[in-house]
Amino acid sequence: MIRALCLVGGLTGAVGLSQYPEFSQQYIQRLAGQVDALTIEAKRFDDSALAEGMGREEALQALAGSDFLDRRQADMRAMFARHARLGENLIVLRAASPLERLTLPHRMADGPTAQEVWGDFTPAVPVSMAGAASAGAGFLGGWAAIAAILAALTTPFRRRRGAQGAKRREPAIKKDPPVMRPTLVTDQQSHVPRLAGAQR
């Protein structure tokens, strides 16, 4: 039963992770579109600031004085930070091979982009080396995960049964009967010591 459950977990992991190369490829395409859009928005802001004789930071500081301007400043700072983060991730993912991307899931952690990819994702048959490697890693990971869960769930019961079995197997200790030791008595007539209970 346990082996069957582990096999199911391994196959599930293999099927799921075998789609990782295709998912990563589609993620990179969407990520490139996100970076392009953010680049255009950042350039417009910088051009407007330059037209006023200011740099980016000076223009951001100028967005203050009211609740609306303060919120606008926070939005623009968040946009610039996201642009820098996604741009760096795109460079790293493009430079990595399909197998190397298996070690870079943290570079594909942008929530909106991942949701867009997942919404339009179409599973593909893993025919590449990266797909086979992903399937193998998924099988091992799924097997190990199910085995660890089952071991954690069954360990307390095994310990309890082992303790009860040890109590049942514990031999009963019987006390030895007392040893009767002969005592010497003295015959009042002969004054010769003899064993009690012995007849002459």
Side-chain angles (χ1 to χ4, degrees):
M1 182 63 178
I2 294 179
R3 289 185 178 180
L5 292 175
C6 291
L7 180 61
V8 171
L11 293 176
T12 302
V15 173
L17 200 57
S18 66
Q19 300 303 311
Y20 182 85
E22 181 63 23
F23 182 88
S24 66
Q25 183 62 35
Q26 295 184 25
Y27 182 92
I28 291 174
Q29 295 173 0
R30 289 296 182 97
L31 183 62
Q34 293 279 353
V35 172
D36 289 343
L38 292 172
T39 299
I40 293 173
E41 189 173 353
K43 187 176 184 303
R44 286 176 180 174
F45 183 88
D46 291 340
D47 290 344
S48 297
L50 186 61
E52 297 295 329
M54 295 184 293
R56 176 182 293 180
E57 185 58 33
E58 291 177 314
L60 288 172
Q61 293 291 340
L63 293 175
S66 67
D67 292 341
F68 173 78
L69 291 177
D70 290 341
R71 284 195 297 269
R72 181 59 176 167
Q73 182 189 96
D75 291 341
M76 293 306 298
R77 288 189 183 278
M79 185 274 295
F80 286 125
R82 185 165 185 260
H83 178 235
R85 184 178 68 255
L86 296 188
E88 180 183 357
N89 290 342
L90 181 61
I91 293 173
V92 173
L93 290 171
R94 279 178 169 173
S97 66
L99 285 176
E100 291 173 339
R101 290 174 194 159
L102 291 173
T103 63
L104 300 172
H106 58 286
R107 295 289 184 176
M108 295 184 288
D110 184 63
T113 305
Q115 290 177 1
E116 292 179 3
V117 175
W118 184 251
D120 297 332
F121 180 72
T122 301
V125 178
V127 295
S128 63
M129 181 65 68
S134 300
F139 181 84
L140 294 177
W143 183 291
I146 296 298
I149 293 173
L150 293 176
L153 293 176
T154 58
T155 296
F157 299 100
R158 292 179 179 177
R159 290 179 178 175
R160 187 177 303 173
R161 288 196 300 266
Q164 293 176 352
K167 291 181 179 179
R168 287 195 300 265
R169 292 191 301 268
E170 184 178 355
I173 300 177
K174 297 181 179 180
K175 295 183 178 181
D176 296 333
V179 178
M180 300 296 296
R181 296 182 178 179
T183 56
L184 295 175
V185 296
T186 305
D187 191 343
Q188 294 179 355
Q189 296 179 357
S190 61
H191 302 285
V192 179
R194 62 184 179 83
L195 292 177
Q199 297 180 357
R200 295 183 178 179

